Amino acid sequence: MDYENNTNVAPATSSLILEERHDSELFRVYALILDGITDHLLLPGKKLTESELCRQMVCSRNTVRGALSLLAHDKIVDLQPNRGAFVHVPDLKEMKDVFNTRIEMESMILSLLIDMPDLEMRLQPLYAMIEQEGAASESGDRVGWNRLSNAFHVELARLLGNNVLFEIMNTLCARSSLIVAVSDPLRKEKRNIDSNSHHEHREILDLLLAGKRNRVTKVIRRHLGACMERLEQKLEM
C-alpha cells in the first residue's frame, strides 16, 4: 500500500489536527497510519506489522512504535501483549457511546455558534465544503465524501476557538469513521452513495444563520441519531 500517494483534495483526518503538532517525523508517521485507517484502507482488525510500516514509511522502528502508541491512546489502534498492533474493532456499545457523546457535544457547539459575531462570514468555507461533499456523493467518491462529511462537524467546532473541544471532536469523528468501517467498509472504487448528509449539513448552516437555536439543535440530534440507528442495525446483523 502506498501511504504517501493521496491525490484526493478532501481534507484528511490528520490535516485537521492542530498545526503545532505537525512538525515532526513522529507526526508524519502517525498521520499516515491514521489517514489509512479513517479512509478505510486499513480495515478494523488488520494487523499493523512494525517492519512493514517501517518499510512503507521509510522510518525507524522507534518512530512506528511511538505512532502506534499515540493511536492506541486515541482508541484507533489496539496494542495486544505478545501479539502486536491491530486496527481497533469498535463494538455496539462503543458506537452508542461515541454517537451519544457527539449528539450532546455538537448540540452545545451549535448553541454557542449561533451567538458568534460575523457568523455568516465564518460559515462561508463550510458552505463551500458542502458543495464538495455533494459532488463527491454524486460521483461515487466514497473516500472524499467520508472525509468531507467528518470535516464538516470538526470545522464547526474549530470556529469556537476552543482547542480542547476541537481536538476532542476530531478524535470522536475519527472513531466514528472507524465504526462506519465495521458496518459498511468504504472501498476505493466508485459506487453509489445513498446519503443526504450534505443536504442536512446545509440545513444546519441555514438554521444557524437564521438564529433558530432550538430548531438547529433538533436537526443535529436527528441527523446524528439517524446515523447511529443505521449503524446499530448493521452492527446487529
Side-chain angles (χ1 to χ4, degrees):
M1 181 182 300
D2 186 353
Y3 291 87
E4 300 280 9
N5 184 18
N6 179 17
T7 58
N8 198 307
V9 296
T13 301
S14 64
S15 73
L16 302 175
I17 295 173
L18 295 173
E19 291 184 3
E20 55 261 34
R21 289 182 55 188
H22 290 204
D23 189 21
S24 72
E25 178 69 357
L26 177 60
F27 179 81
R28 181 183 73 86
V29 174
Y30 168 89
L32 288 170
I33 301 173
L34 174 64
D35 293 338
I37 293 171
T38 55
D39 286 347
H40 302 186
L41 304 176
L42 299 169
L43 294 177
K46 180 176 176 58
K47 183 174 177 60
L48 301 172
T49 307
E50 288 183 5
S51 59
E52 180 64 16
L53 292 173
C54 290
R55 185 186 68 80
Q56 288 277 356
M57 301 180 183
V58 192
C59 65
S60 70
R61 192 175 289 265
N62 283 340
T63 300
V64 165
R65 287 175 179 169
L68 292 174
S69 179
L70 290 174
L71 288 162
H73 178 269
D74 293 341
K75 309 299 182 185
I76 303 297
V77 164
D78 292 328
L79 299 179
Q80 301 182 13
N82 302 318
R83 294 195 64 212
F86 296 81
V87 179
H88 179 61
V89 182
D91 59 16
L92 183 60
K93 182 182 184 305
E94 181 177 344
M95 183 276 291
K96 290 180 178 180
D97 288 347
V98 167
F99 274 86
N100 281 324
T101 300
R102 284 188 59 181
I103 287 170
E104 297 305 322
M105 290 190 64
E106 296 193 47
S107 297
M108 177 190 70
I109 287 167
L110 294 178
S111 182
L112 293 171
L113 282 174
I114 211 163
D115 294 324
M116 292 190 72
D118 303 322
L119 186 59
E120 183 173 2
M121 179 187 70
R122 293 172 185 267
L123 293 182
Q124 288 310 306
L126 276 78
Y127 275 106
M129 182 179 289
I130 291 170
E131 293 298 322
Q132 288 183 285
E133 184 187 351
S137 178
E138 291 176 8
S139 69
D141 176 9
R142 294 184 67 81
V143 172
W145 166 76
N146 181 62
R147 285 183 174 191
L148 289 159
S149 180
N150 278 334
F152 172 82
H153 294 270
V154 177
E155 292 297 344
L156 280 172
R158 190 200 294 270
L159 292 177
L160 291 175
N162 183 323
N163 288 346
V164 173
L165 180 59
F166 172 75
E167 289 191 317
I168 291 171
M169 274 303 305
N170 198 18
T171 298
L172 284 172
C173 285
R175 293 178 69 176
S176 299
S177 184
L178 192 53
I179 291 165
V180 171
V182 173
S183 63
D184 184 25
L186 300 180
R187 302 302 184 193
K188 293 184 72 174
E189 67 267 14
K190 291 183 178 181
R191 53 185 281 201
N192 292 333
I193 299 171
D194 183 17
S195 173
N196 291 316
S197 64
H198 58 290
H199 297 301
E200 294 170 347
H201 289 166
R202 180 177 294 277
E203 182 181 9
I204 288 167
L205 297 188
D206 289 346
L207 288 169
L208 280 174
L209 288 180
K212 304 292 186 180
R213 189 188 309 273
N214 292 337
R215 178 61 181 158
V216 76
T217 300
K218 289 180 181 178
V219 169
I220 194 65
R221 288 179 173 272
R222 182 191 69 199
H223 175 65
L224 293 173
C227 183
M228 181 169 65
E229 184 177 335
R230 289 193 300 270
L231 292 169
E232 183 175 2
Q233 290 173 351
K234 291 178 180 179
L235 289 172
E236 288 180 334
M237 291 177 61

Tab-separated table of all heavy atoms in Angstrom, residues 99-139:
chain	number	residue	atom	x	y	z
A	99	PHE	N	-21.522	8.116	19.538
A	99	PHE	CA	-22.532	8.962	18.897
A	99	PHE	C	-23.385	9.715	19.909
A	99	PHE	O	-23.774	10.864	19.653
A	99	PHE	CB	-23.384	8.137	17.934
A	99	PHE	CG	-22.772	8.022	16.567
A	99	PHE	CD1	-21.857	7.028	16.296
A	99	PHE	CD2	-23.062	8.949	15.580
A	99	PHE	CE1	-21.256	6.937	15.053
A	99	PHE	CE2	-22.475	8.871	14.326
A	99	PHE	CZ	-21.567	7.859	14.064
A	100	ASN	N	-23.665	9.129	21.059
A	100	ASN	CA	-24.401	9.883	22.083
A	100	ASN	C	-23.565	11.046	22.606
A	100	ASN	O	-24.098	12.123	22.895
A	100	ASN	CB	-24.810	8.953	23.231
A	100	ASN	CG	-26.028	8.113	22.890
A	100	ASN	OD1	-26.940	8.579	22.203
A	100	ASN	ND2	-26.057	6.872	23.357
A	101	THR	N	-22.249	10.832	22.728
A	101	THR	CA	-21.359	11.927	23.129
A	101	THR	C	-21.352	13.016	22.072
A	101	THR	O	-21.409	14.218	22.394
A	101	THR	CB	-19.928	11.400	23.354
A	101	THR	OG1	-19.936	10.413	24.379
A	101	THR	CG2	-18.990	12.533	23.759
A	102	ARG	N	-21.278	12.616	20.812
A	102	ARG	CA	-21.305	13.601	19.732
A	102	ARG	C	-22.612	14.401	19.730
A	102	ARG	O	-22.596	15.619	19.495
A	102	ARG	CB	-21.112	12.904	18.382
A	102	ARG	CG	-19.684	12.493	18.100
A	102	ARG	CD	-19.532	11.990	16.676
A	102	ARG	NE	-19.914	13.022	15.699
A	102	ARG	CZ	-19.903	12.854	14.381
A	102	ARG	NH1	-19.538	11.685	13.878
A	102	ARG	NH2	-20.234	13.833	13.576
A	103	ILE	N	-23.715	13.729	19.957
A	103	ILE	CA	-25.005	14.425	19.967
A	103	ILE	C	-25.006	15.543	21.003
A	103	ILE	O	-25.415	16.684	20.720
A	103	ILE	CB	-26.153	13.427	20.220
A	103	ILE	CG1	-26.396	12.564	18.970
A	103	ILE	CG2	-27.440	14.160	20.613
A	103	ILE	CD1	-27.336	11.398	19.189
A	104	GLU	N	-24.536	15.247	22.218
A	104	GLU	CA	-24.538	16.260	23.272
A	104	GLU	C	-23.529	17.371	22.986
A	104	GLU	O	-23.825	18.562	23.147
A	104	GLU	CB	-24.227	15.603	24.625
A	104	GLU	CG	-25.257	14.578	25.075
A	104	GLU	CD	-26.676	15.135	25.111
A	104	GLU	OE1	-26.858	16.316	25.489
A	104	GLU	OE2	-27.605	14.391	24.757
A	105	MET	N	-22.330	16.997	22.527
A	105	MET	CA	-21.290	17.991	22.279
A	105	MET	C	-21.645	18.883	21.096
A	105	MET	O	-21.464	20.107	21.145
A	105	MET	CB	-19.950	17.307	22.033
A	105	MET	CG	-19.347	16.664	23.261
A	105	MET	SD	-17.645	16.132	23.000
A	105	MET	CE	-16.848	17.710	22.711
A	106	GLU	N	-22.164	18.304	20.040
A	106	GLU	CA	-22.468	19.110	18.860
A	106	GLU	C	-23.700	19.981	19.065
A	106	GLU	O	-23.807	21.061	18.489
A	106	GLU	CB	-22.599	18.213	17.631
A	106	GLU	CG	-21.282	17.518	17.306
A	106	GLU	CD	-21.253	16.869	15.932
A	106	GLU	OE1	-21.655	17.534	14.951
A	106	GLU	OE2	-20.821	15.705	15.849
A	107	SER	N	-24.624	19.536	19.896
A	107	SER	CA	-25.744	20.401	20.272
A	107	SER	C	-25.228	21.640	20.999
A	107	SER	O	-25.676	22.774	20.736
A	107	SER	CB	-26.732	19.636	21.163
A	107	SER	OG	-27.310	18.559	20.473
A	108	MET	N	-24.275	21.432	21.912
A	108	MET	CA	-23.668	22.553	22.631
A	108	MET	C	-22.903	23.466	21.677
A	108	MET	O	-22.999	24.699	21.764
A	108	MET	CB	-22.723	22.019	23.706
A	108	MET	CG	-21.968	23.105	24.469
A	108	MET	SD	-20.667	22.419	25.530
A	108	MET	CE	-19.484	21.862	24.296
A	109	ILE	N	-22.139	22.883	20.759
A	109	ILE	CA	-21.351	23.667	19.801
A	109	ILE	C	-22.247	24.577	18.979
A	109	ILE	O	-21.974	25.779	18.810
A	109	ILE	CB	-20.534	22.734	18.887
A	109	ILE	CG1	-19.376	22.113	19.674
A	109	ILE	CG2	-19.992	23.487	17.660
A	109	ILE	CD1	-18.695	20.961	18.964
A	110	LEU	N	-23.345	24.042	18.470
A	110	LEU	CA	-24.247	24.849	17.647
A	110	LEU	C	-24.907	25.947	18.467
A	110	LEU	O	-25.096	27.071	17.974
A	110	LEU	CB	-25.309	23.956	17.004
A	110	LEU	CG	-24.796	22.939	15.982
A	110	LEU	CD1	-25.940	22.077	15.465
A	110	LEU	CD2	-24.090	23.627	14.820
A	111	SER	N	-25.239	25.639	19.708
A	111	SER	CA	-25.850	26.645	20.576
A	111	SER	C	-24.894	27.802	20.840
A	111	SER	O	-25.314	28.971	20.929
A	111	SER	CB	-26.281	26.000	21.884
A	111	SER	OG	-26.930	26.939	22.727
A	112	LEU	N	-23.599	27.495	20.955
A	112	LEU	CA	-22.595	28.547	21.162
A	112	LEU	C	-22.323	29.327	19.869
A	112	LEU	O	-22.141	30.542	19.891
A	112	LEU	CB	-21.293	27.925	21.685
A	112	LEU	CG	-21.343	27.324	23.081
A	112	LEU	CD1	-20.057	26.560	23.372
A	112	LEU	CD2	-21.564	28.418	24.132
A	113	LEU	N	-22.308	28.633	18.760
A	113	LEU	CA	-22.011	29.288	17.484
A	113	LEU	C	-23.059	30.328	17.107
A	113	LEU	O	-22.733	31.359	16.507
A	113	LEU	CB	-21.923	28.246	16.363
A	113	LEU	CG	-20.640	27.426	16.261
A	113	LEU	CD1	-20.795	26.349	15.199
A	113	LEU	CD2	-19.459	28.334	15.920
A	114	ILE	N	-24.283	30.069	17.456
A	114	ILE	CA	-25.372	30.913	16.981
A	114	ILE	C	-25.261	32.346	17.501
A	114	ILE	O	-25.813	33.285	16.911
A	114	ILE	CB	-26.726	30.276	17.372
A	114	ILE	CG1	-27.787	30.615	16.329
A	114	ILE	CG2	-27.158	30.677	18.760
A	114	ILE	CD1	-29.013	29.731	16.407
A	115	ASP	N	-24.502	32.542	18.587
A	115	ASP	CA	-24.334	33.876	19.162
A	115	ASP	C	-23.041	34.562	18.716
A	115	ASP	O	-22.750	35.676	19.160
A	115	ASP	CB	-24.341	33.790	20.694
A	115	ASP	CG	-25.690	33.360	21.244
A	115	ASP	OD1	-26.712	33.766	20.667
A	115	ASP	OD2	-25.711	32.614	22.248
A	116	MET	N	-22.264	33.915	17.843
A	116	MET	CA	-20.985	34.495	17.443
A	116	MET	C	-21.172	35.648	16.468
A	116	MET	O	-22.061	35.618	15.602
A	116	MET	CB	-20.099	33.427	16.791
A	116	MET	CG	-19.612	32.354	17.743
A	116	MET	SD	-18.354	31.308	16.987
A	116	MET	CE	-16.950	32.438	16.949
A	117	PRO	N	-20.330	36.679	16.578
A	117	PRO	CA	-20.381	37.769	15.602
A	117	PRO	C	-19.831	37.316	14.258
A	117	PRO	O	-19.050	36.368	14.183
A	117	PRO	CB	-19.479	38.843	16.228
A	117	PRO	CG	-18.521	38.065	17.085
A	117	PRO	CD	-19.312	36.894	17.624
A	118	ASP	N	-20.247	37.985	13.193
A	118	ASP	CA	-19.754	37.686	11.844
A	118	ASP	C	-19.955	36.220	11.473
A	118	ASP	O	-19.134	35.619	10.775
A	118	ASP	CB	-18.258	38.030	11.715
A	118	ASP	CG	-17.970	39.479	12.061
A	118	ASP	OD1	-18.800	40.339	11.697
A	118	ASP	OD2	-16.936	39.734	12.701
A	119	LEU	N	-21.057	35.648	11.935
A	119	LEU	CA	-21.280	34.219	11.712
A	119	LEU	C	-21.389	33.897	10.222
A	119	LEU	O	-20.866	32.873	9.763
A	119	LEU	CB	-22.541	33.756	12.444
A	119	LEU	CG	-22.819	32.250	12.408
A	119	LEU	CD1	-21.676	31.459	13.017
A	119	LEU	CD2	-24.133	31.934	13.132
A	120	GLU	N	-22.045	34.756	9.471
A	120	GLU	CA	-22.209	34.484	8.035
A	120	GLU	C	-20.853	34.349	7.342
A	120	GLU	O	-20.642	33.423	6.547
A	120	GLU	CB	-23.020	35.595	7.370
A	120	GLU	CG	-23.292	35.329	5.890
A	120	GLU	CD	-24.235	36.352	5.287
A	120	GLU	OE1	-24.648	37.289	6.008
A	120	GLU	OE2	-24.554	36.219	4.087
A	121	MET	N	-19.921	35.238	7.662
A	121	MET	CA	-18.587	35.177	7.071
A	121	MET	C	-17.855	33.915	7.519
A	121	MET	O	-17.182	33.249	6.728
A	121	MET	CB	-17.785	36.406	7.465
A	121	MET	CG	-16.355	36.432	6.906
A	121	MET	SD	-15.393	37.803	7.583
A	121	MET	CE	-15.190	37.262	9.289
A	122	ARG	N	-17.989	33.559	8.803
A	122	ARG	CA	-17.301	32.400	9.340
A	122	ARG	C	-17.797	31.098	8.701
A	122	ARG	O	-17.046	30.125	8.594
A	122	ARG	CB	-17.508	32.323	10.861
A	122	ARG	CG	-16.847	33.462	11.634
A	122	ARG	CD	-17.262	33.411	13.094
A	122	ARG	NE	-16.755	34.545	13.853
A	122	ARG	CZ	-15.615	34.560	14.531
A	122	ARG	NH1	-14.856	33.476	14.547
A	122	ARG	NH2	-15.234	35.626	15.190
A	123	LEU	N	-19.063	31.074	8.295
A	123	LEU	CA	-19.643	29.840	7.761
A	123	LEU	C	-19.418	29.651	6.269
A	123	LEU	O	-19.680	28.558	5.744
A	123	LEU	CB	-21.147	29.794	8.051
A	123	LEU	CG	-21.565	29.676	9.520
A	123	LEU	CD1	-23.079	29.601	9.623
A	123	LEU	CD2	-20.933	28.472	10.198
A	124	GLN	N	-18.930	30.663	5.571
A	124	GLN	CA	-18.771	30.550	4.118
A	124	GLN	C	-17.899	29.366	3.701
A	124	GLN	O	-18.250	28.643	2.759
A	124	GLN	CB	-18.223	31.862	3.546
A	124	GLN	CG	-19.219	33.001	3.525
A	124	GLN	CD	-20.551	32.599	2.883
A	124	GLN	OE1	-20.586	32.104	1.759
A	124	GLN	NE2	-21.633	32.802	3.617
A	125	PRO	N	-16.750	29.115	4.364
A	125	PRO	CA	-15.953	27.936	3.964
A	125	PRO	C	-16.704	26.622	4.140
A	125	PRO	O	-16.475	25.668	3.391
A	125	PRO	CB	-14.736	28.008	4.893
A	125	PRO	CG	-14.647	29.446	5.304
A	125	PRO	CD	-16.050	29.923	5.391
A	126	LEU	N	-17.615	26.568	5.102
A	126	LEU	CA	-18.374	25.337	5.309
A	126	LEU	C	-19.424	25.144	4.226
A	126	LEU	O	-19.711	24.007	3.826
A	126	LEU	CB	-19.021	25.327	6.704
A	126	LEU	CG	-18.087	24.833	7.815
A	126	LEU	CD1	-17.110	25.939	8.211
A	126	LEU	CD2	-18.865	24.360	9.026
A	127	TYR	N	-19.991	26.253	3.736
A	127	TYR	CA	-20.907	26.135	2.592
A	127	TYR	C	-20.160	25.582	1.375
A	127	TYR	O	-20.677	24.738	0.635
A	127	TYR	CB	-21.536	27.483	2.256
A	127	TYR	CG	-22.776	27.809	3.061
A	127	TYR	CD1	-22.749	28.747	4.080
A	127	TYR	CD2	-23.982	27.177	2.785
A	127	TYR	CE1	-23.884	29.047	4.820
A	127	TYR	CE2	-25.126	27.473	3.514
A	127	TYR	CZ	-25.078	28.405	4.529
A	127	TYR	OH	-26.214	28.698	5.257
A	128	ALA	N	-18.924	26.047	1.180
A	128	ALA	CA	-18.113	25.539	0.063
A	128	ALA	C	-17.806	24.054	0.268
A	128	ALA	O	-17.801	23.276	-0.693
A	128	ALA	CB	-16.822	26.344	-0.052
A	129	MET	N	-17.554	23.657	1.502
A	129	MET	CA	-17.274	22.255	1.812
A	129	MET	C	-18.484	21.380	1.484
A	129	MET	O	-18.351	20.254	0.972
A	129	MET	CB	-16.890	22.119	3.285
A	129	MET	CG	-16.541	20.707	3.711
A	129	MET	SD	-16.055	20.624	5.456
A	129	MET	CE	-14.453	21.446	5.375
A	130	ILE	N	-19.681	21.900	1.768
A	130	ILE	CA	-20.901	21.147	1.473
A	130	ILE	C	-21.046	20.915	-0.020
A	130	ILE	O	-21.483	19.844	-0.468
A	130	ILE	CB	-22.131	21.887	2.032
A	130	ILE	CG1	-22.115	21.846	3.562
A	130	ILE	CG2	-23.426	21.255	1.506
A	130	ILE	CD1	-23.149	22.751	4.192
A	131	GLU	N	-20.686	21.919	-0.828
A	131	GLU	CA	-20.728	21.746	-2.283
A	131	GLU	C	-19.797	20.613	-2.711
A	131	GLU	O	-20.149	19.783	-3.561
A	131	GLU	CB	-20.334	23.050	-2.982
A	131	GLU	CG	-21.325	24.185	-2.798
A	131	GLU	CD	-22.686	23.862	-3.392
A	131	GLU	OE1	-22.730	23.228	-4.478
A	131	GLU	OE2	-23.703	24.227	-2.780
A	132	GLN	N	-18.603	20.556	-2.131
A	132	GLN	CA	-17.659	19.475	-2.428
A	132	GLN	C	-18.215	18.127	-1.981
A	132	GLN	O	-18.076	17.121	-2.680
A	132	GLN	CB	-16.326	19.724	-1.717
A	132	GLN	CG	-15.485	20.834	-2.287
A	132	GLN	CD	-14.163	20.938	-1.533
A	132	GLN	OE1	-14.091	21.424	-0.412
A	132	GLN	NE2	-13.105	20.446	-2.148
A	133	GLU	N	-18.846	18.116	-0.818
A	133	GLU	CA	-19.418	16.876	-0.296
A	133	GLU	C	-20.499	16.348	-1.230
A	133	GLU	O	-20.565	15.141	-1.521
A	133	GLU	CB	-19.993	17.113	1.098
A	133	GLU	CG	-20.538	15.868	1.768
A	133	GLU	CD	-21.244	16.174	3.084
A	133	GLU	OE1	-21.165	17.327	3.561
A	133	GLU	OE2	-21.879	15.249	3.622
A	134	GLY	N	-21.358	17.248	-1.720
A	134	GLY	CA	-22.403	16.844	-2.650
A	134	GLY	C	-21.827	16.292	-3.940
A	134	GLY	O	-22.305	15.292	-4.477
A	135	ALA	N	-20.770	16.934	-4.446
A	135	ALA	CA	-20.127	16.469	-5.680
A	135	ALA	C	-19.495	15.094	-5.477
A	135	ALA	O	-19.572	14.220	-6.349
A	135	ALA	CB	-19.070	17.478	-6.126
A	136	ALA	N	-18.862	14.884	-4.316
A	136	ALA	CA	-18.258	13.589	-4.022
A	136	ALA	C	-19.322	12.505	-3.935
A	136	ALA	O	-19.130	11.384	-4.421
A	136	ALA	CB	-17.464	13.664	-2.721
A	137	SER	N	-20.467	12.841	-3.326
A	137	SER	CA	-21.553	11.882	-3.212
A	137	SER	C	-22.089	11.487	-4.588
A	137	SER	O	-22.282	10.305	-4.884
A	137	SER	CB	-22.679	12.481	-2.361
A	137	SER	OG	-23.778	11.607	-2.268
A	138	GLU	N	-22.288	12.481	-5.443
A	138	GLU	CA	-22.845	12.222	-6.771
A	138	GLU	C	-21.886	11.430	-7.658
A	138	GLU	O	-22.317	10.627	-8.487
A	138	GLU	CB	-23.208	13.547	-7.448
A	138	GLU	CG	-24.398	14.252	-6.804
A	138	GLU	CD	-24.677	15.598	-7.439
A	138	GLU	OE1	-24.035	15.907	-8.476
A	138	GLU	OE2	-25.536	16.335	-6.909
A	139	SER	N	-20.587	11.637	-7.473
A	139	SER	CA	-19.602	10.949	-8.315
A	139	SER	C	-19.215	9.575	-7.777
A	139	SER	O	-18.477	8.834	-8.429
A	139	SER	CB	-18.340	11.811	-8.446
A	139	SER	OG	-17.645	11.889	-7.209
